[in-house]
Amino acid sequence: MIRQYAINVTEIKKFSQVSDLLDSISSKRKERIEKFYFDRDKIHSLFGELILRYALWEQFHMTTSDIIIGYTAYGKPYLEGYEHIYFNLSHSGNWVLVGIGDIPIGVDVEQTNEKNILLISKSFTEEEKRMISERD
């Protein structure tokens, strides 16, 4: 089982609009957020963990006290005590994305622009290009 969760944070212009949500995340994440200079980075980090916590509740019925996020020596987050649950976070532009599942998972979201569109013609198969162009 693999699930993906995403949120668009376009409407959130200032971190102060959502700072009251800090009480819903881990102290380690709070410390990381405090080190960011730009509000956009703080917002992405905050919602990354909020979405993860929601996904864990929805998919595995985990409560706040069940969720303890540890970090490897390389800074990769993992769930302490739940080696069978995997997750990955990504953010770019106005999007924050979380993937969660029972197998190792990686997710990535990238804000696109004209230059990235040119890469499509060089990087994707004809079928993939057709699927991308049909998407609205």
Side-chain angles (χ1 to χ4, degrees):
M1 174 268 328
I2 295 176
R3 298 282 188 263
Q4 176 174 286
Y5 296 79
I7 187 168
N8 186 305
V9 294
T10 302
E11 299 298 318
I12 305 168
K13 304 297 183 198
K14 300 270 186 202
F15 184 70
S16 60
Q17 292 175 264
V18 293
S19 62
D20 58 324
L21 296 173
L22 284 168
D23 292 335
S24 303
I25 63 171
S26 66
S27 58
K28 287 182 183 179
R29 177 69 63 163
K30 286 180 200 175
E31 289 172 14
R32 292 179 77 185
I33 288 172
E34 288 173 5
K35 293 178 183 177
F36 290 128
Y37 179 78
F38 295 108
D39 277 3
R40 180 63 47 197
D41 295 329
K42 293 177 182 185
I43 292 164
H44 284 162
S45 186
L46 173 65
F47 278 92
E49 185 166 322
L50 288 173
I51 296 169
L52 173 62
R53 288 177 174 277
Y54 173 78
L56 292 168
W57 170 78
E58 184 178 69
Q59 296 301 317
F60 298 100
H61 311 289
M62 294 176 72
T63 64
T64 300
S65 61
D66 296 328
I67 302 169
I68 300 172
I69 300 171
Y71 294 88
T72 67
Y74 300 104
K76 180 171 174 44
Y78 67 93
L79 286 175
E80 291 185 7
Y82 293 91
E83 291 77 22
H84 64 286
I85 300 175
Y86 301 88
F87 68 91
N88 194 245
L89 303 111
S90 181
H91 58 82
S92 182
N94 293 316
W95 288 96
V96 179
L97 176 70
V98 172
I100 187 168
D102 53 3
I103 60 173
I105 183 173
V107 297
D108 193 22
V109 61
E110 275 300 321
Q111 184 172 350
T112 59
N113 58 38
E114 292 276 335
K115 293 176 187 171
N116 289 347
I117 301 287
L118 295 175
L119 282 174
I120 290 172
S121 64
K122 296 178 182 178
S123 304
F124 292 95
T125 66
E126 290 303 317
E127 183 179 349
E128 291 169 329
K129 287 189 268 187
R130 181 186 52 74
M131 289 171 50
I132 291 169
S133 67
E134 290 176 356
R135 213 179 68 137
D136 286 325

